Amino acid sequence: MSTAIAAAVDDAVGELVPLVGAKAGCAAVGVARASFYRARPAGKATAAPSPEPERKPQVQPRALSEAERAAVLEVLHSKRFADAAPATVYATLLDEGTYLASESTMYRLLRERGETGDRRRHATHPAKVKPELVAASPNQVWSWDITKLAGPAKWTYYYLYLILDIFSRYPVGWMVASRESATLAERLIAETVRKQQADRNQLTLHADRGSSMASKPVAFLLADLGVTKSHSRPHCSNDNPYSEAQFKTLKYRPDFPDRFGCIEDARVFCDRFFAWYAHDHRHSGIGLHTPADVHYGRAHTVSEARGRVLDAAHAAHPERFVRKPPQSPKLPAAAWINKPQDKEEPTQ
């Protein structure tokens, strides 16, 4: 590029650079930017475009005034419409012959204040009371529940109803039926109370919130028998631990089948199991006594007999017992459902 042409390009583009910038100036003249920069004398800086004047925000003539915005918000926040959606407010006001703003404007005003979420006042329910039950002797607190036993075909079940004394772990009543029914539960409870000769206002019956447990027939029966009813909190199996643990013992037995061939098979199995559980099973939760011994008051006699055997063993070989003479496990003095933290459980 000759010197004259270079000077002409520099002058032409140089006049445009302060106004539109180097890129737009070169495009207007039809010169590549590289040619423009080569043609400029060394040390000559390109003048920076003048800053654009700050534009003042234009007021939209259709916008609501501050007074009108405040009036719309006052209506939206009023007691009448505090729980209503803007669409409902808009339609209600139209039906009453009033127009304050469009539905979208109502949403926009609420959005500016972070109030476009669920505007309803949600009802709050008090938490269910945590059951705290204690039994210091048999027939004070019973726990009952129903579990399924798989039948001969898929989706067929038999239902085991079980009432357990939480102090002795003795199965005071049980039944295998083909269905879950409040009427059957009512019959089993009545027969068990009669068989155990429980006095009025002596017994508390605890259960979860199944349909049979919370049914009105069962509630009316318990009121007639003078039995206090107690229920677990919703979806909280820990509030009924004794029945849950007993069902686990049942279903983890080596001879527990995958399926029962018929309801008679289930009844025969349960009859054999509960006889073993009540009279032969040494339960760790009751000092390794059988539930029948604890329930019928024979545990102390058994414990004394155990003590005499251990005393004889210690007398024969004291060197084998370094720390202290051997003792049989103690029978807990009380059984709790949700024992409070500040309660100490004595032993006897």
Side-chain angles (χ1 to χ4, degrees):
M1 180 182 295
S2 63
T3 305
I5 296 176
V9 169
D10 180 62
D11 293 340
V13 178
E15 294 179 359
L16 297 175
V17 167
L19 301 176
V20 296
K23 180 179 180 180
C26 290
V29 176
V31 177
R33 275 185 290 169
S35 300
F36 166 67
Y37 287 125
R38 281 197 302 269
R40 295 184 66 78
K44 185 176 181 181
T46 302
S50 59
E52 295 183 3
E54 183 178 356
R55 297 181 180 180
K56 296 182 180 180
Q58 296 181 353
V59 178
Q60 175 57 250
R62 294 174 294 179
L64 297 179
S65 65
E66 290 299 327
E68 290 173 327
R69 292 163 63 93
V72 174
L73 289 173
E74 182 180 358
V75 172
L76 293 173
H77 293 158
S78 65
K79 184 177 181 180
R80 179 187 180 190
F81 294 120
D83 294 338
T88 301
V89 179
Y90 174 79
T92 303
L93 293 178
L94 284 184
D95 293 342
E96 297 175 354
T98 302
Y99 177 86
L100 296 178
S102 66
E103 180 184 339
S104 60
T105 299
M106 293 182 180
Y107 272 109
R108 184 167 56 254
L109 294 177
L110 292 174
R111 191 182 304 114
E112 292 174 355
R113 290 157 178 77
E115 300 176 4
T116 52
D118 194 347
R119 304 176 64 230
R120 295 170 296 176
R121 294 189 299 270
H122 292 276
T124 57
H125 302 281
K128 295 294 183 181
V129 177
K130 183 179 182 179
E132 295 179 355
L133 305 175
V134 60
S137 63
N139 293 335
Q140 286 189 345
V141 180
W142 291 351
S143 169
W144 83 283
D145 203 351
I146 302 174
T147 189
K148 292 181 179 180
L149 305 177
K154 188 176 182 180
W155 308 120
T156 60
Y157 298 98
Y158 306 120
Y159 296 85
L160 171 61
Y161 297 64
L162 173 66
I163 304 176
L164 195 72
D165 187 289
I166 74 167
F167 179 80
S168 64
R169 312 301 204 275
Y170 185 76
V172 292
W174 65 272
M175 173 182 64
V176 176
S178 58
R179 67 187 189 280
E180 182 176 345
S181 166
T183 303
L184 295 176
E186 181 183 4
R187 184 187 309 167
L188 175 64
I189 294 171
E191 292 177 356
T192 305
V193 171
R194 178 185 53 79
K195 182 174 62 177
Q196 292 294 317
Q197 299 179 354
D199 296 331
R200 295 184 62 84
N201 304 321
Q202 166 192 342
L203 178 64
T204 297
L205 187 61
H206 180 76
D208 58 25
R209 295 181 177 271
S211 58
S212 299
M213 293 76 169
S215 63
K216 288 185 177 180
V218 172
F220 292 153
L221 171 67
L222 297 180
D224 293 340
L225 296 175
V227 176
T228 303
K229 69 173 182 176
S230 172
H231 288 290
S232 302
R233 291 166 292 177
H235 313 294
C236 187
S237 60
N238 292 340
D239 287 348
N240 200 9
Y242 296 96
S243 293
E244 298 292 342
Q246 210 282 338
F247 287 149
K248 182 176 180 179
T249 302
L250 167 74
K251 296 181 179 181
Y252 276 63
R253 291 292 294 166
D255 55 344
F256 185 81
D258 294 334
R259 293 186 177 275
F260 290 97
C262 60
I263 193 170
E264 287 76 16
D265 291 344
R267 288 169 177 165
V268 169
F269 178 87
C270 290
D271 185 67
R272 185 171 63 250
F273 168 79
F274 286 118
W276 166 83
Y277 187 87
H279 300 283
D280 296 322
H281 175 50
R282 269 65 180 178
H283 201 297
S284 61
I286 51 177
L288 296 178
H289 292 282
T290 64
D293 285 343
V294 176
H295 195 76
Y296 293 107
R298 301 189 296 263
H300 291 290
T301 302
V302 173
S303 183
E304 291 174 359
R306 291 177 177 178
R308 289 193 294 269
V309 174
L310 292 174
D311 290 342
H314 180 262
H317 297 281
E319 72 281 359
R320 296 178 180 176
F321 306 95
V322 179
R323 296 182 179 180
K324 60 181 180 180
Q327 295 180 346
S328 60
K330 299 296 183 181
L331 177 67
W336 282 89
I337 291 179
N338 295 327
K339 183 166 72 80
Q341 296 296 326
D342 58 345
K343 296 287 185 180
E344 295 185 0
E345 183 177 329
T347 57
Q348 60 180 12

